[in-house]
Amino acid sequence: MLQMMQGHLMAARELIQAGDVAEGRPHLTHPWVEVYPMVKAGLAHRDQKALGEQLHTLAEKAGQVDSWDEISADFQAAWVGIEQAVNTTEGLSASSVSKVILSLTKQAVLEYDEALDGDQFEAEHEYQDGRGFVAAARDYLAEHEAHLVKQNKEAWRDTGKALTELAKAWPTPVPPQKPVVSTSNLYAAQARLELALAPYLY
């Protein structure tokens, strides 16, 4: 859930910095509105109560944002708060890291599927969420590279290739006119990613 928060924020940052401010604003609210309620108790247990305030502030200001400079400080505060919460879960096994990556990418594929109506993207925000989740998964894989390589270098290499292949479905922050990867092929790519991660999972 914490990595999913970062995925939402990555989508927001990319869009706002690119000048698509109206597209980016809603993504600033998603960590607070959609994800925080599911992790509130766990954060309180780990004495990470400040994160809720940081996410709430970001969500409240989202509607008035006209440029990145106006929100960058609050964004950074929320981002650091998420990182601090993540650090309280240090010591994750390769299996746990793999499950986080799979959770993010499975949700990304679902968002992609739901964004499509035939061969047109009708729900742009869901496409953008998916792009953010895949970006978060790729960052998470990179952060745990040393640990994963030590356990199984070939699996780490195959995972990186599979994740790169999966990411091709989201070529741009704003959806293309037509999908570059069909839904069936994307589900197949997700299956290949899970296969690549299997040595860590089983």
Side-chain angles (χ1 to χ4, degrees), residues 29-97:
T29 70
H30 291 172
W32 167 251
V33 174
E34 297 181 4
V35 187
Y36 182 74
M38 294 185 281
V39 299
K40 182 179 179 181
L43 289 169
H45 179 71
R46 293 179 174 84
D47 198 27
Q48 297 291 326
K49 300 174 184 177
L51 178 57
E53 296 176 6
Q54 292 159 339
L55 295 175
H56 185 230
T57 297
L58 195 64
E60 280 196 323
K61 293 184 177 181
Q64 288 76 47
V65 173
D66 289 316
S67 69
W68 175 247
D69 289 343
E70 294 178 6
I71 200 65
S72 61
D74 292 304
F75 181 100
Q76 185 63 19
W79 187 273
V80 170
I82 295 171
E83 287 289 303
Q84 290 173 341
V86 168
N87 289 339
T88 66
T89 63
E90 282 185 357
L92 290 176
S93 66
S95 175
S96 296
V97 171

Side-chain angles (χ1 to χ4, degrees), residues 25 31 58 157 193:
R25 286 180 192 135
L58 195 64
R157 185 178 62 246
L193 174 61

Side-chain angles (χ1 to χ4, degrees), residues 3 14 20 29 48 51 76-77 79 81 109 120 124 127-128 134 136-137 141 161 173 186:
Q3 300 303 323
E14 183 176 41
D20 294 314
T29 70
Q48 297 291 326
L51 178 57
Q76 185 63 19
W79 187 273
V109 173
Q120 298 287 330
E124 292 191 359
Y127 167 95
Q128 292 157 356
V134 171
L141 178 66
K161 289 179 180 178
L186 191 57

Side-chain angles (χ1 to χ4, degrees), residues 105-124:
T105 54
K106 284 180 177 179
Q107 187 60 39
V109 173
L110 287 174
E111 298 277 355
Y112 185 95
D113 195 355
E114 292 173 2
L116 279 169
D117 183 4
D119 63 351
Q120 298 287 330
F121 288 105
E122 297 294 334
E124 292 191 359

Side-chain angles (χ1 to χ4, degrees), residues 142-159:
E143 287 169 14
H144 293 87
E145 175 182 347
H147 181 53
L148 296 177
V149 167
K150 184 177 181 181
Q151 182 161 329
N152 191 318
K153 186 175 182 178
E154 184 177 358
W156 172 80
R157 185 178 62 246
D158 290 345
T159 297

